């Protein structure tokens, strides 16, 4: 992996594994630099994905590959307790132990990490929607998002073992928007999805006065339009154990004949959501209607 | 004794005056019906019409509806009528035949 954390929380900042950055962030204080049993100085931090302890390789001496983090597999004094359950869902876990994403598996218990991600969704729901709308080139109604959130809660997606602060908006769409109707939502003019849908018989796009870049999907008069969003195939791939490539398929199906009329592979942006959350400018652009929806629907977990 | 005055009911027979498709991103209703009797004019959303239909089905005044149709209605209406067995009979209409 190429990032590390120094606090075992979902909201904590992640830093690039680099000698100078490690020096600045930790000042090489305990527990981030420790002498091992042979007396050798080793550098430690926290895995940004599973929040387990990691050893940072290649900081104190040059190695052939770029500096990276490696799970310790055991407890390290002063760092969070080793959690084998979390480790098996970490995309940076060894191939032998890594459990690939699947839609059936949910965590059995609500731990601190689950609560933090649940609270992050509740307090930043407008930004979750902002990121996913920009990624998919759509703008949906508050009513649509309220129903997507309802589906997210009913299906207990907050217990999805591969959920993290990085992929929160994408996984929200992946499970929450599943099989929801496209009708009446806005699509960015000239985007791939807009062009694919505009070609269909019975589809009509109506421009609005609110935003000239978007048009509302309507039916031709007298024809029922049964187009549904569908998401599938969430994958995580830690390329050479360093860069995390996370993807899912975003499709639109015509539920009347079962045909897929649009298909696109979506790559998750590792920093987009948390940068949006931390953005100072964004403080002034909160969508209170969406925040009210989240506050109403997301009751405290415990 | 019947609680309704049938003469008055006939006088007040409601007719659909017009309907309007709503092109508003944040409106919960997609269609609004404008209704009128001898003395009043009022509006009713499509979701209320569906609610009335389901009420009539549950009372036995109308036959049950095909599950495939009701599932599509639920998606359009953000409702969950297709989860109640009193409302539907099972059908296997896929691909959907709407003609």
């Amino acid at each position: 992996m190429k990032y590390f954390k120094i606090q075992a929380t979902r909201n904590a900042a992640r830093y690039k594994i680099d000698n100078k950055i490690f020096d600045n962030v930790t000042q090489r204080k305990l527990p981030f630099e420790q002498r091992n049993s042979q007396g050798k100085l080793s550098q430690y931090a926290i895995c940004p994905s599973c929040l387990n302890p990691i050893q940072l390789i290649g900081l104190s001496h040059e190695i052939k590959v770029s500096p990276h983090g490696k799970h310790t597999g055991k407890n390290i004094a002063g760092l969070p307790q080793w959690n084998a359950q979390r480790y098996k869902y970490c995309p940076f876990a060894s191939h032998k132990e890594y459990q690939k994403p699947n839609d059936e598996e949910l965590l059995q218990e609500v731990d601190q990490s689950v609560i933090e991600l649940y609270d992050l969704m509740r307090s930043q729901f407008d930004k979750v929607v902002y990121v996913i709308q920009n990624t998919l080139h759509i703008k949906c109604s508050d009513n649509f998002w309220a129903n997507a959130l309802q589906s997210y809660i009913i299906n207990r997606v907050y217990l999805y073992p591969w959920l993290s602060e990085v992929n929160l908006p994408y996984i929200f769409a992946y499970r929450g928007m599943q099989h929801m109707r496209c009708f009446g939502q806005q699509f960015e003019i000239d985007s791939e999805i807009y062009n694919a849908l505009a070609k269909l018989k019975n589809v009509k796009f109506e421009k609005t006065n609110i935003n000239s870049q978007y048009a509302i999907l309507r039916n031709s008069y007298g024809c029922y339009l049964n187009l549904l969003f569908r998401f599938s195939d969430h994958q995580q791939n830690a390329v050479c154990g360093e860069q995390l490539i996370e993807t899912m398929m975003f499709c639109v199906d015509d539920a009347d004949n079962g045909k897929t009329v649009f298909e696109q592979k979506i790559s998750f942006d590792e920093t987009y959501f948390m940068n949006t959350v931390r953005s100072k400018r964004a403080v002034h652009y909160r969508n209170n209607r969406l925040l009210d929806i989240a506050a109403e629907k997301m009751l405290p977990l415990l | 004794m019947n609680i309704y005055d049938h003469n008055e009911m006939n006088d007040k027979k409601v007719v659909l005056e017009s309907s309007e498709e709503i092109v508003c991103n944040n409106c919960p209703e997609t269609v609004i019906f404008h209704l009128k009797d001898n003395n009043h004019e009022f509006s009713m959303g499509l979701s209320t019409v569906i609610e009335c239909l389901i009420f009539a089905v549950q009372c036995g005044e109308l036959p049950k509806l095909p599950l495939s149709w009701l599932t599509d209605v639920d998606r359009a209406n953000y409702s969950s009528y297709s989860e109640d067995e009193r409302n539907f009979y099972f059908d296997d209409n896929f691909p959907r035949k709407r003609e």
Side-chain angles (χ1 to χ4, degrees), chain A residues 44-208:
Chain A
Y44 297 100
I46 294 161
C47 172
S49 287
C50 66
L51 306 181
N52 271 312
I54 52 170
Q55 186 176 354
L56 304 181
I57 315 288
L59 286 190
S60 53
H61 58 279
E62 273 198 21
I63 54 173
K64 282 179 186 170
V65 292
S66 54
H68 59 275
K70 192 181 162 196
H71 291 101
T72 60
K74 59 179 185 183
N75 291 332
I76 300 295
L79 291 176
Q81 195 175 13
W82 179 257
N83 184 331
Q85 175 75 9
R86 280 276 173 195
Y87 174 66
K88 78 172 183 175
Y89 300 118
C90 179
F92 299 106
S94 72
H95 287 300
K96 263 188 194 170
E97 295 184 61
Y98 173 56
Q99 176 82 42
K100 283 185 181 171
N102 65 75
D103 295 347
E104 285 79 38
E105 205 162 332
L106 291 179
L107 292 173
Q108 294 303 307
E109 60 181 57
V110 175
D111 61 15
Q112 188 55 34
S113 186
V114 170
I115 294 171
E116 284 174 17
L117 287 174
Y118 186 87
D119 290 344
L120 186 63
M121 171 70 109
R122 194 173 191 269
S123 63
Q124 307 292 336
F125 184 55
D126 58 334
K127 291 176 182 174
V128 167
V129 167
Y130 173 81
V131 167
I132 204 63
Q133 289 195 139
N134 284 352
T135 305
L136 304 181
H137 304 282
I138 56 172
K139 279 197 192 300
C140 299
S141 63
D142 293 346
N143 204 21
F144 179 98
W145 292 121
N147 282 284
L149 185 59
Q150 182 76 11
S151 173
Y152 180 89
I153 296 162
I154 287 174
N155 291 294
R156 300 192 300 159
V157 186
Y158 48 86
L159 291 173
Y160 188 63
W162 298 272
L163 190 67
S164 71
E165 70 279 19
V166 168
N167 66 22
L168 189 67
Y170 306 95
I171 299 300
F172 165 67
Y174 184 70
R175 303 304 294 155
M177 282 173 69
Q178 187 74 312
H179 305 314
M180 284 188 67
R181 248 184 122 207
C182 307
F183 176 84
Q185 310 311 328
Q186 297 180 56
F187 293 78
E188 190 181 332
I189 295 168
D190 258 349
S191 61
E192 272 185 57
I193 186 167
Y194 174 92
N195 290 335
L197 300 184
K199 280 183 204 157
L200 298 176
K201 207 176 90 179
N202 303 337
V203 161
K204 193 173 73 176
F205 275 108
E206 275 179 24
K207 294 191 175 166
T208 66

Side-chain angles (χ1 to χ4, degrees), chain A residues 141-142 181 218 226 255-256, chain B residues 22 25-26 76 94-96 98:
Chain A
S141 63
D142 293 346
R181 248 184 122 207
R218 306 287 302 175
N226 208 4
D256 275 0
Chain B
I22 306 298
N25 194 264
N26 283 316
F94 190 83
R96 301 276 196 263
R98 297 198 192 281

